[in-house]
Amino acid sequence: MIKKYTNADFSENGYSNAGIILNKKKCQNLRDFINSYRPVKKSIFYQSEKDFKRSGRYKNYAPGPGHNFLEQCDTSFIEQDERFIKFCSDLMGEGYEIFKKSIIRSTPERQLPRWLKKKLVDVGRPNLNPYIKNEFQDVQFFLCTDFHQDKTRQESEFVTVYIYLDKVSSNSSALNIILGSHKLGFTSYPHILRKSSINREWHYNDMHGNYLPCKELIVTGNAGSVVAFHNLTLHGTNINNDLDPRISLRYLIKNRNKVDSTFTSSNKKVFGKLFNDKPRLDVSEIGEIIPMGSNLILNKK
């Protein structure tokens, strides 16, 4: 029997799966609309490192207010859906706030210019937006992502809600979740993980004397699937070489009224450090990503 990960298990797992709760047809229509205006193709990238150095930048490249293609999309069928509201309310309490949302475009290697493929070798979290022309940066493009936490600021407290607009298989750059990893607290990337040689388990260490064995889960699903994970839960995605690569939505929700919720209960399970003044060790002073390899990608090849 396949285990169902519900909000009732969120405190233990740092993850829950609502299943297919959104209208499949409307998800597919939204996906088609996004794909029409923000396709994945080579022309959206700077075609040489010289072009990038002349016109690109390592800051302010993420989708944001006034420069977010999702603002041009009708997402009311998501945010007004009764089951979606209940799912988020159970996690963060009634009156939860969606404070950020964006489109995630999983990008195949074949679409990258040659210079960029070379540059991103051994980069664990190759965020592609710095290398994409400004007009297309209103969508978040990723090649793949090593295991990481979404929490990057000390004061931030939120849950990530992830929505599949496509059918996503294990070969479609599906989410990989390290179950229960939130309990080890706020650790620095690259995280200290070692893969078990006998099962789908990872050995996670925070360098402060705390250790945790965690199971890995690959999140497959159909259009309309909704999952959520704690901002301290380790997660990542593999490289996607599908002919029609997936499009997903990423919502960040917070507890606006500071009420008890599933999220506050999950925080009580954390036994690792909660303070971290250096969340990322792979970013230079100018914002360039430093190649440090990848736990996720190296262990999938």
Side-chain angles (χ1 to χ4, degrees):
M1 179 180 293
I2 298 175
K3 178 175 173 53
K4 293 184 177 180
Y5 294 91
T6 67
N7 282 356
D9 307 309
F10 188 87
S11 293
E12 186 65 29
N13 296 315
Y15 165 82
S16 63
N17 189 332
I20 304 171
I21 61 173
L22 299 175
N23 185 287
K24 182 178 180 180
K25 182 62 176 175
K26 290 182 179 180
C27 284
Q28 291 172 333
N29 288 343
L30 176 56
R31 190 241 189 256
D32 292 342
F33 178 76
I34 295 169
N35 198 46
S36 295
Y37 290 91
R38 291 296 180 268
V40 173
K41 54 184 180 180
K42 289 184 178 180
S43 61
I44 68 175
F45 293 94
Y46 293 109
Q47 295 304 298
S48 69
E49 189 153 19
K50 182 179 179 180
D51 288 342
F52 168 71
K53 288 181 177 179
R54 181 172 58 246
S55 304
R57 62 189 184 277
Y58 282 119
K59 60 181 180 180
N60 300 325
Y61 52 72
H67 192 52
N68 186 344
F69 190 75
L70 199 54
E71 293 174 350
Q72 302 178 40
C73 304
D74 181 7
T75 56
S76 60
F77 76 94
I78 298 172
E79 292 146 28
Q80 296 175 17
D81 183 272
E82 290 183 1
R83 289 181 294 181
F84 181 82
I85 292 172
K86 184 179 187 308
F87 180 66
C88 294
S89 296
D90 286 348
L91 286 169
M92 278 303 207
E94 293 185 5
Y96 66 87
E97 178 183 348
I98 299 169
F99 69 94
K100 186 175 182 179
K101 58 183 180 179
S102 55
I103 298 164
I104 306 297
R105 288 245 53 178
S106 177
T107 308
E109 280 185 305
R110 65 178 180 274
Q111 298 293 2
L112 271 59
R114 184 176 298 178
W115 75 272
L116 190 52
K117 287 183 184 180
K118 183 177 179 180
K119 186 176 185 66
L120 296 179
V121 169
D122 282 335
V123 170
R125 297 172 63 179
N127 186 332
L128 298 177
N129 275 40
Y131 313 106
I132 287 173
K133 297 171 185 176
N134 185 68
E135 60 265 37
F136 302 107
Q137 289 182 353
D138 55 1
V139 166
Q140 182 65 67
F141 291 85
F142 279 108
L143 176 61
C144 54
T145 49
D146 190 15
F147 290 119
H148 66 283
Q149 298 173 328
D150 276 353
K151 184 180 176 80
T152 57
R153 294 179 175 86
Q154 185 62 45
E155 69 279 4
S156 61
E157 295 290 337
F158 62 89
V159 163
T160 299
V161 178
Y162 213 83
I163 301 167
Y164 283 166
L165 300 182
D166 303 89
K167 181 177 181 179
V168 177
S169 71
S170 58
N171 296 317
S172 306
S173 188
L175 279 170
N176 288 47
I177 302 289
I178 304 293
L179 294 169
S181 54
H182 68 295
K183 290 181 281 189
L184 212 58
F186 194 9
T187 59
S188 299
Y189 178 86
H191 305 281
I192 303 175
L193 288 165
R194 293 293 183 270
K195 183 106 182 241
S196 170
S197 60
I198 58 174
N199 54 34
R200 291 193 69 86
E201 195 166 81
W202 289 85
H203 302 282
Y204 183 21
N205 189 307
D206 71 350
M207 289 192 70
H208 295 289
N210 298 308
Y211 158 80
L212 194 66
C214 302
K215 292 182 179 179
E216 178 186 358
L217 175 70
I218 298 178
V219 184
T220 58
N222 291 305
S225 297
V226 179
V227 304
F229 47 89
H230 195 287
N231 63 355
L232 293 175
T233 295
L234 295 180
H235 62 285
T237 58
N238 210 327
I239 291 174
N240 189 339
N241 283 311
D242 282 359
L243 293 177
D244 194 15
R246 71 169 171 88
I247 302 176
S248 304
L249 304 183
R250 178 176 177 260
Y251 281 66
L252 304 185
I253 64 172
K254 64 182 179 180
N255 187 328
R256 184 169 58 191
N257 298 322
K258 306 297 183 183
V259 297
D260 287 339
S261 64
T262 298
F263 178 74
T264 56
S265 295
S266 67
N267 285 338
K268 295 176 183 178
K269 294 278 187 175
V270 177
F271 59 82
K273 300 286 186 178
L274 288 175
F275 182 82
N276 187 351
D277 60 358
K278 191 71 173 176
R280 296 189 65 168
L281 306 178
D282 66 326
V283 182
S284 73
E285 290 185 0
I286 65 169
E288 186 173 10
I289 304 300
I290 303 168
M292 290 188 174
S294 171
N295 273 306
L296 195 158
I297 303 302
L298 290 177
N299 280 281
K300 298 293 183 179
K301 290 183 178 179

